[in-house]
Amino acid sequence: MRYILERILLTIPTLLAMSVFVFLLIRLVPGDPVQTMLGFRATPQNVATIRHQLHLDEPLITQYREWLSGLLHGDLGRDYVSHAPLSELLRSAIPVTLELTLLSMGLALVAGVPLGVLGAQGPGLARRLTDGFVIGGVSVPDFWLGTLLVLLFSATLVWLPPSGYTPFTADPLANLRYMILPVTTLAIGEAAYISRTTRGSMEEALGAPFVTFLRAKGLPERSIVYRHALRNASVPIVTVAGIQFGVLLGGAIVIETLFGLPGVGRLTVTAINQRNYTVVQGAVLVIATLFIVVNLLTDLLYGWLDPRISAGGER
């Protein structure tokens, strides 16, 4: 409990620092965001009106205090284009992004961990296959792979839809059909990274003295590999999975745009194209918060996998 409480308490200043960074990122970039949003309509009167509406004519510390107060009350501001509350836009977009990233990470773990374990058990066909998968998965860009999958499974074979989205609660089968291609596109690269990490960690674990002792006791090789060695090799795998989740959130911006998924990534790209400064700020805040929460869950998982990790993080 002490370990859990310390990790949660450490997350609070991290979230606060992240909010300061996001706040300053939008306001301190070169150029006037109001003139950028208004474009050819940027007359002095219009600029002054919008700056007053967005509280940009106030001191930075006052702007941040009011913005943070709104965040604590669930008010992220309003969409400058549609005038809809940003909280409503994000409420409909976040589930799509979470579904995409969680399914992609799940598929990456299901594929990457077994491949890494097989590759660590010695030279042979399995080792060569995993080497080829890792090289291909790490080298191929997501946008190119996604385009290739669309050309193959949508344009040529006509098995899956090229774009669109249906909520899982509305039609689970249609949701699955729309999510197969984007999830596969994101998962392949992550599975390659996880497979490479798993293989290296498993090779170290299988070479440890406790494995020699277990083999001398006559335990089955399968039990030694999956019950004992994999448990000892799991912390680096969890570390990479937590880091790669942030990569998935970044990749979701490209994949959601490519496959027409109405998630936070596509919302961000649309807002950037519209020069919609409040939506960009809110979307970046949500993505950064998700990454911090995943890092917290990763830290908590460390303590469960290895009880030797103390509240201070020492082993």
Side-chain angles (χ1 to χ4, degrees):
M1 289 301 300
R2 179 184 174 187
Y3 177 79
I4 293 174
L5 288 175
E6 284 196 3
R7 287 295 180 252
I8 293 175
L9 291 176
L10 284 173
T11 302
I12 295 175
T14 305
L15 288 170
L16 184 62
M18 180 270 298
S19 70
V20 174
F21 175 76
V22 172
F23 174 82
L24 294 177
L25 178 68
I26 300 298
R27 285 163 175 78
L28 298 183
V29 294
D32 189 338
V34 176
Q35 290 185 346
T36 303
M37 285 191 296
L38 291 175
F40 66 91
R41 297 171 297 169
T43 63
Q45 182 179 1
N46 289 340
V47 170
T49 300
I50 298 302
R51 288 183 65 86
H52 179 70
Q53 291 177 354
L54 299 177
H55 305 287
L56 294 177
D57 54 351
E58 300 175 355
L60 279 178
I61 187 65
T62 304
Q63 294 181 45
Y64 177 73
R65 185 172 61 246
E66 293 180 356
W67 180 64
L68 185 61
S69 175
L71 290 180
L72 296 177
H73 291 85
D75 182 13
L76 298 175
R78 288 185 172 271
D79 182 354
Y80 172 73
V81 175
S82 66
H83 304 289
L86 185 53
S87 57
E88 293 184 2
L89 297 178
L90 292 173
R91 192 177 298 119
S92 60
I94 289 174
V96 181
T97 300
L98 284 178
E99 181 183 4
L100 174 63
T101 52
L102 291 176
L103 288 177
S104 300
M105 180 54 69
L107 180 58
L109 288 171
V110 169
V113 172
L115 286 175
V117 172
L118 288 174
Q121 295 183 50
L125 179 60
R127 180 66 172 260
R128 291 194 293 271
L129 290 176
T130 55
D131 286 343
F133 174 76
V134 168
I135 294 173
V138 171
S139 304
V140 176
D142 289 342
F143 68 89
W144 185 86
L145 178 61
T147 304
L148 188 65
L149 292 178
V150 168
L151 291 175
L152 176 61
F153 292 101
S154 299
T156 304
L157 300 176
V158 198
W159 288 354
L160 297 170
S163 63
Y165 179 77
T166 298
F168 182 82
T169 53
D171 190 340
L173 184 59
N175 174 267
L176 179 63
R177 284 174 52 82
Y178 281 117
M179 295 300 292
I180 286 177
L181 291 182
V183 166
T184 303
T185 301
L186 270 181
I188 288 178
E190 305 312 312
Y193 281 105
I194 292 173
S195 176
R196 184 175 63 181
T197 303
T198 302
R199 191 180 72 183
S201 185
M202 283 294 296
E203 286 176 345
E204 182 178 353
L206 290 173
F210 79 91
V211 172
T212 304
F213 174 74
L214 293 174
R215 285 172 175 159
K217 288 183 63 178
L219 266 69
E221 186 68 18
R222 183 179 182 85
S223 176
I224 294 174
V225 171
Y226 289 98
R227 184 178 177 182
H228 299 280
L230 184 57
R231 177 69 179 268
N232 282 269
S234 59
V235 172
I237 300 172
V238 171
T239 301
V240 170
I243 294 173
Q244 291 302 115
F245 190 88
V247 177
L248 285 176
L249 289 173
I253 295 178
V254 177
I255 297 305
E256 288 177 1
T257 304
L258 178 63
F259 290 96
L261 299 176
V264 178
R266 186 182 178 190
L267 181 66
T268 304
V269 173
T270 303
I272 292 172
N273 292 332
Q274 295 175 340
R275 298 171 176 83
N276 198 337
Y277 133 91
T278 54
V279 176
V280 174
Q281 179 176 263
V284 171
L285 179 71
V286 167
I287 292 174
T289 302
L290 288 174
F291 185 50
I292 291 174
V293 170
V294 169
N295 279 329
L296 171 62
L297 295 176
T298 302
D299 281 345
L300 298 181
L301 190 56
Y302 288 161
W304 178 75
L305 290 172
D306 192 345
R308 296 172 298 176
I309 299 178
S310 65
E314 298 178 353
R315 296 184 59 174

